Amino acid sequence: MAGNSFGKLFKLTTFGESHGPAIGGIIDGCPAGLKLDFEAIQNELDRRKPGQSKIVTQRKEPDTVEFYSGIFEGVTTGTPIGFVIHNTNQKSKDYSHIKDVYRPSHADYTYDKKYGVRDYRGGGRSSARETASRVVAGAVAKQMLNNLKINAFTSSVGDIFLDKPYQDLDFSKIESNVIRCPDEASAEKMIAKVQEVKKQGDTIGGTITCVLQNVPVGLGEPVFDKLHAELGKAMLSINAVKGFEYGSGFCGARMKGSEHNDKFNKDGSTQTNLSGGVQGGISNGMDIYFRVAFKPVATTLQKQYTINSSGETVEMQGKGRHDPCVVPRAVPIVEAMAALVLADYMLLDKTSRL
Amino acid sequence: MAGNSFGKLFKLTTFGESHGPAIGGIIDGCPAGLKLDFEAIQNELDRRKPGQSKIVTQRKEPDTVEFYSGIFEGVTTGTPIGFVIHNTNQKSKDYSHIKDVYRPSHADYTYDKKYGVRDYRGGGRSSARETASRVVAGAVAKQMLNNLKINAFTSSVGDIFLDKPYQDLDFSKIESNVIRCPDEASAEKMIAKVQEVKKQGDTIGGTITCVLQNVPVGLGEPVFDKLHAELGKAMLSINAVKGFEYGSGFCGARMKGSEHNDKFNKDGSTQTNLSGGVQGGISNGMDIYFRVAFKPVATTLQKQYTINSSGETVEMQGKGRHDPCVVPRAVPIVEAMAALVLADYMLLDKTSRL
Amino acid sequence: MAGNSFGKLFKLTTFGESHGPAIGGIIDGCPAGLKLDFEAIQNELDRRKPGQSKIVTQRKEPDTVEFYSGIFEGVTTGTPIGFVIHNTNQKSKDYSHIKDVYRPSHADYTYDKKYGVRDYRGGGRSSARETASRVVAGAVAKQMLNNLKINAFTSSVGDIFLDKPYQDLDFSKIESNVIRCPDEASAEKMIAKVQEVKKQGDTIGGTITCVLQNVPVGLGEPVFDKLHAELGKAMLSINAVKGFEYGSGFCGARMKGSEHNDKFNKDGSTQTNLSGGVQGGISNGMDIYFRVAFKPVATTLQKQYTINSSGETVEMQGKGRHDPCVVPRAVPIVEAMAALVLADYMLLDKTSRL
Amino acid sequence: MAGNSFGKLFKLTTFGESHGPAIGGIIDGCPAGLKLDFEAIQNELDRRKPGQSKIVTQRKEPDTVEFYSGIFEGVTTGTPIGFVIHNTNQKSKDYSHIKDVYRPSHADYTYDKKYGVRDYRGGGRSSARETASRVVAGAVAKQMLNNLKINAFTSSVGDIFLDKPYQDLDFSKIESNVIRCPDEASAEKMIAKVQEVKKQGDTIGGTITCVLQNVPVGLGEPVFDKLHAELGKAMLSINAVKGFEYGSGFCGARMKGSEHNDKFNKDGSTQTNLSGGVQGGISNGMDIYFRVAFKPVATTLQKQYTINSSGETVEMQGKGRHDPCVVPRAVPIVEAMAALVLADYMLLDKTSRL
């Protein structure tokens, strides 16, 4: 209930603060018999880790995952998979300057008011560091979904938009540049934009588009746990996310029914896909695609005035190694959360018929 | 797990198809000691019911709720509140023409594929009729939250946008017109737009904005059950919803950190509120506001080609009494779901400290 | 969370007080495609209903169940099954004498202290009337488990014990007498015992033994949701139950390992079955059997002294139509709860392997 | 759903096999602001650990718990508490002789059948080693419940019974002997009995009685989550448990209502307490007491015949360092599970009234 679990049957529970000894989690409900590729899991972690390029934070965290249970001779046993990522780079002193300070548009104030106590080091539990555990679990989920294709990519940075339909993109090129945009021309502009704001000591927002392909028909649990509602919650639970739309999204709200309806082909597929692969909360076999909005990172290197816990005005300035744009590192997180939802709903669907 | 429950501590489970004998639900976890105003509950139902104006469906459903339990001498007892709304207008024969037909952009196809069987009458469980039960429960939740202000309103219909910040609106005027837009000039244009598409036998989408005021600081359960993530899921679970954004939303993705950060006042309030009243998934005491996108209703009165369960092309035409625009009737549903989330998170927060 | 739901995937939520307009429930998660035998469901309700013989309460409640949803043309559709049993015999005035009185060993005092308010009519929510909803859901579950055999029977009344191993009993004779003991000689003594205490205006306890046969290997979710732990909880949730043991039970605590271990046959079955069909919380294919202890009904017809809500001593006397022994009417309830557990765990097990 | 979590609001999820690198868990929902006494936690672990006396297994496992999160400067922060106990004594080769063997009355066979794969080393997940994580979480829960008294003790070993009412015992003497029976004369007989069976290479069962004192009125969630039902499930989930009874228990089934009813004193307390401190599933302020039956440990040092996974008969013999009687080491586990239930229900009860 306290909000640190995700999923119903394929269930991830995470723990850990950014500057404690370790973060980690437990995957409960991963079916037995899945042969794991540990290199692929570490690879996903590496896509998320700091320090991987010039346009992300230069913090060094190796982020090596250790599995403690639930796997025997490389195969899942049906018992809970416990895993831990030790925090090797806990420079707690870096954060002493914010001990009593509520940083603007961070969660310092709200955690303090809710709990009456907070671990002020680096954002504590509210730090995006927690998402490393999601990436581990998502990588396991991806392996369970081996026939499905889950591809996320950066579709905008500030005002730079990737203006092509996803069908015209080559997803194999997502990793070919540091911004994770599969269109090289757009990627270059985005990277330049990030470098520009970085120079200013500023940060910038962006969007990620995610496409799920080869999803079987029938995933989704009406009426409250519609597939797209759970995907939406999954995405909105990621740090810095401000919006979610799928299929026609907010554009659909401007359309007429005669324009928006997806005509069926005889095989049950549809000629258009404004529905975004989901009807009535249940996948229809077409591509599922959605877009996620990320606000700019709140920590800038510019001087700001704010308050401390005594209600006094104080001056503060972000230090060193923060992300000027969170979006490229969030790409594997979006994929991980999508994989967790799909794995969970695959298992749920196993019980829908006699 | 099968998706018909919402909430953790203040929990609603609903049942019922559009053309069965009744729909209804159980509210489990409503605290004891709440004196209920039954007229206010019925009033919310009346806001949602068909036939209330010229721009919504002309079906007649009185939608009278009967409470069967959990209330003694007008006061909640802490035991589950069972309620039923009898379907008095089950014209099943109206739907015989779609028995084997998969209507475009409806859930006929996906329910059939998922369950291998479906109640084809009027959409069965996928009908928006189910939301009447949500409105009942939301009305109870609203009474539990008596100091909070929950106001939703129509903020666009097709390309007609209400172009004022919500702070400039008088929420007491929401009910003063049939489109439920508190700005009279915008409302007139929206109504004209709906009447125009109605004449064409067509339908149109729109958006609803919702503002939650006087929300106490501290609601929200990090990290997966962030307050806005649960609000997002709640909204995305409503029929026809395609998108959700809160605070700066998708616009926030185009901004810089230096523009986006909300500066603190000494009392912990903020000078701007691009955050939308939530920081790190926890309410900060500022207004929470969000926007929800609704696609156009899939049932038009125009002739369409589609397929049946044998994969044959068939011609179909929507009949009679459908909504040309779902948005005005969805306003109380959005409020109801917001109330359910807030009530639930109020209870959860009671357990966050010793 | 508020305790009115049972099960994880095959989930029953009930509502209703003994003297409100109706009781009922929602079964969420019953798989689609189950053809229901409604007569069989009503038959189970009839086994539980009052007035069926001389040794149970003479209250008349027809207990007719109405299904409102989730079933189309007699077949489950995978959507929630809502059902209602109207209370036709709500003699509320019968209970005015206990309005402020806390009856000894009833739940009057604890409900009042917990909730600050209570529906005093007939025990309200704490009345065993609620179990009628369980019997309905259990009857649906039984039909889903059509190859399994679920048989409960009265194994003791006071000091009268059925002293035969269950293997020597003919379960088809359970319904052949009003005490529901398949051994005629024991049944006669038990019935005489109940009539004797009834004459004294007293009541008496007893035990029910339940045997589950043809249960597939593999049901049970270690480590907290062991199959027998869930069965234990299910039984202990029935009104008046004070104890649960399975397999060797309390006798097992007196034995040595060399006596207690069940030797394997080559096919994986065991020569003895002191384990009671469960190893490590998972069914092993052998018969599952357990025993449930019921205390005597607290309402006697003898004069008693007790207190009221002001802490004053008051005299009270139970009236008319109570059960001298709850055990025979509890037999179908025990079976229903066992069926609910098995149905739930059958669905859970579908997700344990790739 | 997969069964590795316990509790609703104070929720423990555990992971780990007996011979993997580590076991551990996550406590989600522990309220913020609890100052922890780490020595007291380790002390509870030490009560459970092997090698502490001559009558338990001589395996050496230091069982040192490391906390990774959720605690800042010694105080809980409201975020999940992750903890790990490294397995320092993983002598996997000890278990090679049972790789394909199904040990009688162990869970080898059922795990293999359920999951199609198993970690055969030392029972894997079915090993009682998992309960060390429960003891850690229970020790945290105990500290949250600092005014409550939770005392469990050995009340029988084989046929040696402690024949005194708990009221006549001095709980401070529970730890004064290795069998954990507060009555010295009984303890000596029990210890002699264990030594006798140990010499025979055999094992023996026993019972534990647990008494919960100073429990506030009002804990328990009717109707399915009755306090005693949850306690029952908690106990039945412990390895080797075969039965649970509370209050009058199985004896109550032999009594008459006129004998069994607990008369009220004017302050709401009762003169007798056959109810065992719970009425209608809710605590009434009187002592809660219950008794738990443990079967003899299945691993004996005697030669046994059994089968392997190919269905062949094989001879096997337990080796070295097993417990001749599990009961004394189970005492802290029973207390831990009781503490977890109470902590959870304390939090739940906070939400029962406006």
Side-chain angles (χ1 to χ4, degrees):
Chain A
M1 294 299 106
N4 297 287
S5 295
F6 187 81
K8 294 171 220 303
L9 291 175
F10 192 103
K11 187 169 196 163
L12 171 67
T13 304
T14 71
F15 69 84
E17 281 80 43
S18 56
H19 287 66
I23 63 169
I26 302 175
I27 305 167
D28 196 16
C30 182
L34 179 64
K35 179 140 194 62
L36 289 179
D37 176 345
F38 294 101
E39 206 176 301
I41 296 170
Q42 187 61 47
N43 184 46
E44 290 296 311
L45 264 181
D46 291 346
R47 294 174 74 202
R48 196 212 74 100
K49 79 173 175 187
Q52 58 185 288
S53 79
K54 286 177 192 168
I55 62 163
V56 303
T57 174
Q58 295 306 302
R59 282 196 312 273
K60 295 288 176 199
E61 292 163 345
D63 282 0
T64 306
V65 61
E66 293 171 61
F67 289 97
Y68 281 169
S69 64
I71 302 162
F72 187 56
E73 299 175 345
V75 175
T76 61
T77 60
T79 64
I81 300 172
F83 62 89
V84 164
I85 302 168
H86 282 87
N87 290 333
T88 54
N89 193 21
Q90 328 163 23
K91 293 202 181 174
S92 290
K93 46 197 157 178
D94 278 0
Y95 292 90
S96 57
H97 61 295
I98 56 159
K99 180 174 176 176
D100 297 315
V101 172
Y102 298 141
R103 293 169 297 166
S105 292
H106 274 92
D108 302 338
Y109 176 78
T110 51
Y111 269 68
D112 215 5
K113 291 297 167 186
K114 183 177 183 70
Y115 298 112
V117 57
R118 77 180 162 105
D119 183 345
Y120 54 78
R121 299 169 303 167
R125 182 69 178 154
S126 73
S127 162
R129 176 140 189 77
E130 180 270 339
T131 56
S133 298
R134 305 186 187 200
V135 170
V136 171
V140 173
K142 273 186 180 179
Q143 297 189 23
M144 187 183 127
L145 304 165
N146 61 337
N147 293 316
L148 273 71
K149 294 181 191 166
I150 300 174
N151 283 290
F153 54 88
T154 301
S155 47
S156 76
V157 170
D159 285 322
I160 316 293
F161 282 83
L162 164 57
D163 273 332
K164 291 182 180 170
Y166 75 82
Q167 292 87 344
D168 295 351
L169 301 173
D170 177 357
F171 293 157
S172 72
K173 296 202 172 148
I174 293 172
E175 293 300 307
S176 66
N177 57 63
V178 294
I179 200 78
R180 294 202 164 95
C181 172
D183 180 65
E184 199 53 43
S186 304
E188 280 174 28
K189 288 184 219 162
M190 292 172 178
I191 293 167
K193 175 55 104 179
V194 174
Q195 286 173 322
E196 176 196 322
V197 300
K198 190 185 170 188
K199 245 175 247 168
Q200 298 161 352
D202 212 338
T203 61
I204 191 144
T207 60
I208 290 175
T209 295
C210 186
V211 185
L212 314 177
Q213 293 171 305
N214 295 355
V215 178
V217 185
L219 303 196
E221 299 298 315
V223 296
F224 292 106
D225 295 341
K226 292 181 165 87
L227 181 57
H228 59 267
E230 194 73 6
L231 283 168
K233 179 174 174 180
M235 299 305 143
L236 289 157
S237 78
I238 300 172
N239 304 50
V241 172
K242 302 299 288 185
F244 171 87
E245 59 178 2
Y246 82 105
S248 62
F250 277 90
C251 284
R254 304 170 72 165
M255 295 172 77
K256 292 184 185 174
S258 56
E259 300 163 330
H260 196 278
N261 282 357
D262 294 316
K263 288 190 182 62
F264 276 109
N265 296 314
K266 288 193 174 182
D267 63 357
S269 66
T270 58
Q271 293 168 25
T272 50
N273 183 18
L274 289 159
S275 297
V278 181
Q279 293 289 20
I282 300 171
S283 62
N284 68 357
M286 301 297 292
D287 291 353
I288 296 173
Y289 60 97
F290 56 83
R291 210 160 65 97
V292 186
F294 289 81
K295 70 169 189 176
V297 173
T299 301
T300 69
L301 301 188
Q302 301 176 345
K303 197 176 293 179
Q304 299 183 77
Y305 287 92
T306 190
I307 60 169
N308 63 19
S309 56
S310 314
E312 298 160 338
T313 302
V314 293
E315 190 185 293
M316 65 163 286
Q317 187 166 5
K319 285 188 189 171
R321 304 166 309 169
H322 291 280
D323 283 288
C325 180
V326 80
V327 173
R329 288 180 61 210
V331 165
I333 305 168
V334 165
E335 290 181 8
M337 292 307 296
L340 287 172
V341 171
L342 290 176
D344 197 32
Y345 277 70
M346 292 279 275
L347 294 181
L348 282 167
D349 189 50
K350 282 191 175 193
T351 68
S352 61
R353 294 198 196 190
L354 267 196
Chain B
M1 293 300 107
N4 297 288
S5 295
F6 188 81
K8 295 170 218 306
L9 290 174
F10 191 102
K11 186 169 197 164
L12 170 66
T13 304
T14 71
F15 69 84
E17 281 80 43
S18 56
H19 286 67
I23 63 169
I26 302 176
I27 305 166
D28 196 18
C30 183
L34 178 65
K35 179 141 193 61
L36 289 179
D37 177 343
F38 294 100
E39 206 176 300
I41 296 169
Q42 187 60 49
N43 184 45
E44 290 296 314
L45 263 182
D46 292 346
R47 293 175 75 203
R48 198 213 71 100
K49 80 172 175 188
Q52 59 184 289
S53 81
K54 285 178 194 168
I55 61 163
V56 301
T57 174
Q58 295 304 304
R59 284 196 311 275
K60 295 288 176 201
E61 292 163 344
D63 281 359
T64 307
V65 61
E66 294 171 61
F67 288 98
Y68 282 169
S69 66
I71 303 161
F72 187 56
E73 297 175 349
V75 175
T76 60
T77 59
T79 63
I81 301 173
F83 63 88
V84 165
I85 302 168
H86 282 88
N87 289 334
T88 54
N89 194 22
Q90 326 162 24
K91 293 203 181 173
S92 290
K93 45 196 157 180
D94 277 0
Y95 291 89
S96 57
H97 61 297
I98 56 157
K99 180 174 176 178
D100 296 315
V101 171
Y102 298 141
R103 292 169 296 166
S105 291
H106 273 90
D108 303 337
Y109 176 77
T110 51
Y111 269 68
D112 214 6
K113 291 296 167 187
K114 183 177 182 71
Y115 297 112
V117 56
R118 76 180 165 106
D119 182 345
Y120 56 78
R121 298 168 303 167
R125 182 68 179 156
S126 73
S127 163
R129 177 141 188 76
E130 181 269 341
T131 58
S133 297
R134 305 185 186 200
V135 169
V136 170
V140 172
K142 273 187 180 180
Q143 297 190 24
M144 187 183 128
L145 305 165
N146 62 336
N147 293 318
L148 274 70
K149 294 181 193 167
I150 300 172
N151 284 292
F153 53 88
T154 302
S155 47
S156 75
V157 168
D159 285 321
I160 316 293
F161 283 82
L162 165 57
D163 273 332
K164 291 181 179 171
Y166 76 81
Q167 293 87 343
D168 295 351
L169 300 173
D170 178 356
F171 293 155
S172 73
K173 296 207 171 144
I174 292 171
E175 293 300 308
S176 67
N177 58 61
V178 293
I179 200 77
R180 295 201 164 94
C181 172
D183 181 64
E184 199 51 45
S186 303
E188 280 174 29
K189 286 185 218 160
M190 291 172 178
I191 294 168
K193 177 55 109 180
V194 174
Q195 286 172 321
E196 176 194 323
V197 298
K198 188 185 173 189
K199 246 177 244 167
Q200 297 161 352
D202 212 338
T203 62
I204 193 147
T207 60
I208 290 175
T209 295
C210 184
V211 185
L212 313 177
Q213 293 171 305
N214 295 355
V215 177
V217 185
L219 304 195
E221 299 298 317
V223 293
F224 292 105
D225 295 340
K226 292 183 164 87
L227 181 57
H228 59 267
E230 193 74 5
L231 283 168
K233 179 175 173 178
M235 299 307 143
L236 288 157
S237 78
I238 301 173
N239 305 48
V241 172
K242 302 299 289 183
F244 170 87
E245 59 178 2
Y246 82 105
S248 61
F250 277 88
C251 284
R254 303 171 72 165
M255 296 173 75
K256 293 183 185 174
S258 55
E259 300 164 330
H260 194 278
N261 282 356
D262 295 315
K263 289 191 180 63
F264 276 110
N265 296 312
K266 289 194 173 182
D267 63 357
S269 66
T270 58
Q271 294 168 26
T272 50
N273 183 18
L274 289 159
S275 297
V278 181
Q279 293 289 20
I282 301 172
S283 62
N284 67 357
M286 302 295 291
D287 291 352
I288 296 171
Y289 59 97
F290 56 83
R291 210 160 65 96
V292 186
F294 290 80
K295 69 168 188 176
V297 173
T299 302
T300 69
L301 301 188
Q302 301 175 344
K303 196 174 293 180
Q304 297 183 78
Y305 287 92
T306 191
I307 60 167
N308 63 18
S309 55
S310 313
E312 298 161 336
T313 302
V314 292
E315 191 186 291
M316 65 162 289
Q317 188 167 6
K319 285 191 190 168
R321 301 165 311 168
H322 291 280
D323 283 290
C325 180
V326 79
V327 172
R329 289 180 58 208
V331 164
I333 304 169
V334 165
E335 290 181 9
M337 292 308 296
L340 288 173
V341 171
L342 291 174
D344 196 32
Y345 277 70
M346 293 279 275
L347 294 180
L348 282 167
D349 190 50
K350 282 190 174 193
T351 68
S352 61
R353 292 196 199 194
L354 267 196
Chain C
M1 292 301 106
N4 297 287
S5 295
F6 188 82
K8 293 170 220 306
L9 290 175
F10 192 104
K11 187 169 196 162
L12 171 67
T13 304
T14 70
F15 69 84
E17 282 80 42
S18 57
H19 288 67
I23 63 170
I26 301 176
I27 305 167
D28 196 17
C30 182
L34 179 64
K35 179 139 194 65
L36 289 178
D37 176 344
F38 295 100
E39 206 176 301
I41 296 169
Q42 188 60 48
N43 184 45
E44 290 297 311
L45 264 181
D46 292 347
R47 292 175 75 203
R48 197 212 73 101
K49 78 172 177 188
Q52 58 185 289
S53 79
K54 285 176 193 168
I55 62 165
V56 301
T57 174
Q58 296 305 302
R59 283 197 311 276
K60 295 289 178 202
E61 291 163 345
D63 282 359
T64 307
V65 61
E66 293 170 62
F67 289 98
Y68 282 168
S69 66
I71 303 163
F72 187 55
E73 298 176 345
V75 175
T76 60
T77 60
T79 64
I81 300 172
F83 63 89
V84 165
I85 302 168
H86 283 87
N87 289 333
T88 52
N89 194 21
Q90 326 163 25
K91 294 203 180 172
S92 291
K93 47 198 157 176
D94 278 0
Y95 290 90
S96 58
H97 62 296
I98 56 158
K99 179 174 177 177
D100 297 314
V101 172
Y102 297 140
R103 292 168 297 165
S105 292
H106 274 91
D108 303 338
Y109 176 78
T110 52
Y111 269 68
D112 215 6
K113 292 295 169 188
K114 181 177 185 70
Y115 297 112
V117 56
R118 75 178 164 108
D119 182 346
Y120 55 79
R121 299 168 303 167
R125 182 68 179 155
S126 73
S127 162
R129 176 139 189 76
E130 180 270 340
T131 56
S133 298
R134 305 185 186 201
V135 170
V136 170
V140 172
K142 273 187 181 179
Q143 297 190 23
M144 187 183 127
L145 305 164
N146 61 337
N147 293 317
L148 274 71
K149 294 181 192 167
I150 299 173
N151 284 292
F153 54 89
T154 301
S155 47
S156 75
V157 169
D159 285 322
I160 315 292
F161 283 83
L162 165 55
D163 273 332
K164 290 183 180 167
Y166 75 81
Q167 292 88 343
D168 296 350
L169 300 173
D170 176 358
F171 292 156
S172 72
K173 296 205 172 146
I174 293 171
E175 294 300 308
S176 68
N177 58 63
V178 294
I179 201 77
R180 296 204 163 94
C181 173
D183 181 64
E184 199 51 45
S186 304
E188 278 174 28
K189 287 184 217 160
M190 292 172 178
I191 294 167
K193 176 54 108 179
V194 175
Q195 285 173 325
E196 175 196 324
V197 299
K198 189 184 170 187
K199 244 176 247 167
Q200 298 160 352
D202 212 338
T203 61
I204 192 144
T207 60
I208 291 176
T209 295
C210 184
V211 185
L212 313 177
Q213 293 170 305
N214 297 354
V215 178
V217 184
L219 304 194
E221 299 297 317
V223 294
F224 293 106
D225 295 340
K226 291 182 166 90
L227 181 59
H228 60 267
E230 194 73 7
L231 283 168
K233 179 174 173 178
M235 298 307 142
L236 288 156
S237 78
I238 301 172
N239 306 49
V241 171
K242 303 299 288 185
F244 170 87
E245 60 178 2
Y246 82 105
S248 62
F250 278 88
C251 285
R254 305 172 71 166
M255 296 171 76
K256 293 184 185 173
S258 56
E259 300 163 330
H260 195 277
N261 283 356
D262 294 315
K263 288 191 182 61
F264 276 108
N265 297 312
K266 289 194 174 182
D267 63 357
S269 66
T270 58
Q271 292 167 27
T272 49
N273 183 18
L274 289 159
S275 297
V278 181
Q279 292 289 20
I282 300 172
S283 61
N284 67 356
M286 301 296 292
D287 291 353
I288 296 171
Y289 59 98
F290 56 83
R291 210 160 65 97
V292 186
F294 290 80
K295 70 169 188 175
V297 173
T299 301
T300 70
L301 301 187
Q302 300 175 347
K303 198 176 289 182
Q304 297 182 80
Y305 287 94
T306 189
I307 61 168
N308 62 19
S309 55
S310 313
E312 298 161 337
T313 301
V314 292
E315 190 185 294
M316 63 162 289
Q317 186 165 7
K319 284 190 191 171
R321 304 167 307 169
H322 292 280
D323 283 289
C325 180
V326 79
V327 173
R329 288 181 59 210
V331 165
I333 304 169
V334 165
E335 290 182 6
M337 292 308 295
L340 287 173
V341 171
L342 291 176
D344 198 31
Y345 277 69
M346 291 278 274
L347 294 181
L348 282 166
D349 189 49
K350 282 191 175 195
T351 68
S352 61
R353 293 198 196 191
L354 269 196
Chain D
M1 292 303 105
N4 296 288
S5 296
F6 188 81
K8 294 169 218 306
L9 291 174
F10 192 103
K11 185 168 197 163
L12 170 66
T13 304
T14 71
F15 70 83
E17 281 79 43
S18 56
H19 287 67
I23 62 168
I26 302 175
I27 304 167
D28 196 18
C30 182
L34 178 65
K35 181 141 192 60
L36 289 180
D37 177 344
F38 295 99
E39 207 176 299
I41 296 169
Q42 187 60 49
N43 184 45
E44 290 296 313
L45 264 183
D46 290 346
R47 294 175 74 205
R48 198 212 73 100
K49 79 172 174 188
Q52 59 185 290
S53 80
K54 286 178 195 167
I55 61 162
V56 301
T57 173
Q58 294 306 301
R59 282 196 311 276
K60 293 289 178 202
E61 292 162 343
D63 281 359
T64 307
V65 62
E66 293 171 62
F67 289 98
Y68 281 170
S69 66
I71 303 162
F72 188 56
E73 298 175 346
V75 175
T76 60
T77 60
T79 63
I81 301 172
F83 62 89
V84 165
I85 302 167
H86 283 87
N87 289 334
T88 55
N89 194 21
Q90 328 162 23
K91 294 202 183 172
S92 290
K93 46 196 156 180
D94 278 358
Y95 291 91
S96 57
H97 61 297
I98 56 157
K99 179 175 177 178
D100 297 313
V101 170
Y102 298 141
R103 292 168 297 166
S105 292
H106 273 90
D108 303 337
Y109 175 78
T110 51
Y111 269 68
D112 215 4
K113 292 296 169 188
K114 182 178 183 69
Y115 297 113
V117 55
R118 76 181 165 105
D119 183 344
Y120 55 78
R121 299 168 302 167
R125 182 67 179 157
S126 73
S127 163
R129 176 139 188 75
E130 180 269 341
T131 58
S133 298
R134 305 187 186 200
V135 170
V136 171
V140 173
K142 272 187 180 178
Q143 296 189 25
M144 187 184 127
L145 305 165
N146 62 335
N147 293 317
L148 273 71
K149 294 181 192 165
I150 300 173
N151 283 292
F153 54 88
T154 301
S155 47
S156 75
V157 169
D159 285 321
I160 315 293
F161 284 83
L162 164 57
D163 273 331
K164 290 182 181 170
Y166 75 81
Q167 293 88 343
D168 295 350
L169 301 172
D170 177 357
F171 292 155
S172 72
K173 296 205 174 147
I174 292 172
E175 293 300 307
S176 67
N177 58 63
V178 294
I179 198 78
R180 296 204 162 94
C181 173
D183 181 64
E184 199 52 43
S186 304
E188 280 174 28
K189 287 185 219 161
M190 291 172 180
I191 293 166
K193 174 55 104 180
V194 174
Q195 286 173 322
E196 176 195 323
V197 299
K198 188 185 172 188
K199 246 177 248 166
Q200 298 162 352
D202 212 337
T203 62
I204 192 147
T207 61
I208 290 174
T209 295
C210 184
V211 185
L212 313 176
Q213 293 171 304
N214 296 354
V215 178
V217 185
L219 303 195
E221 300 298 317
V223 297
F224 292 105
D225 295 341
K226 292 183 165 86
L227 182 57
H228 59 268
E230 194 73 6
L231 283 168
K233 179 175 173 178
M235 299 306 144
L236 288 157
S237 78
I238 301 172
N239 304 48
V241 171
K242 303 299 289 183
F244 171 87
E245 59 177 2
Y246 81 107
S248 62
F250 277 88
C251 285
R254 304 171 70 165
M255 295 172 76
K256 293 184 184 173
S258 55
E259 302 163 329
H260 194 278
N261 283 356
D262 294 316
K263 289 192 180 60
F264 276 109
N265 296 312
K266 289 194 175 183
D267 63 358
S269 66
T270 58
Q271 293 169 27
T272 50
N273 183 20
L274 289 159
S275 297
V278 181
Q279 293 289 20
I282 300 171
S283 63
N284 68 357
M286 301 296 292
D287 291 353
I288 296 172
Y289 59 98
F290 56 85
R291 209 160 66 96
V292 186
F294 290 79
K295 70 168 188 178
V297 173
T299 301
T300 69
L301 301 186
Q302 301 176 344
K303 197 176 292 182
Q304 297 183 77
Y305 287 93
T306 190
I307 59 169
N308 63 17
S309 55
S310 314
E312 299 161 337
T313 302
V314 292
E315 189 184 293
M316 63 163 289
Q317 187 166 5
K319 286 189 189 169
R321 302 165 311 168
H322 292 279
D323 284 289
C325 180
V326 80
V327 173
R329 287 180 59 209
V331 164
I333 305 169
V334 164
E335 291 181 10
M337 292 308 297
L340 287 173
V341 171
L342 291 174
D344 197 33
Y345 277 71
M346 293 279 274
L347 294 181
L348 283 167
D349 190 49
K350 282 191 174 192
T351 68
S352 62
R353 294 198 198 192
L354 268 196

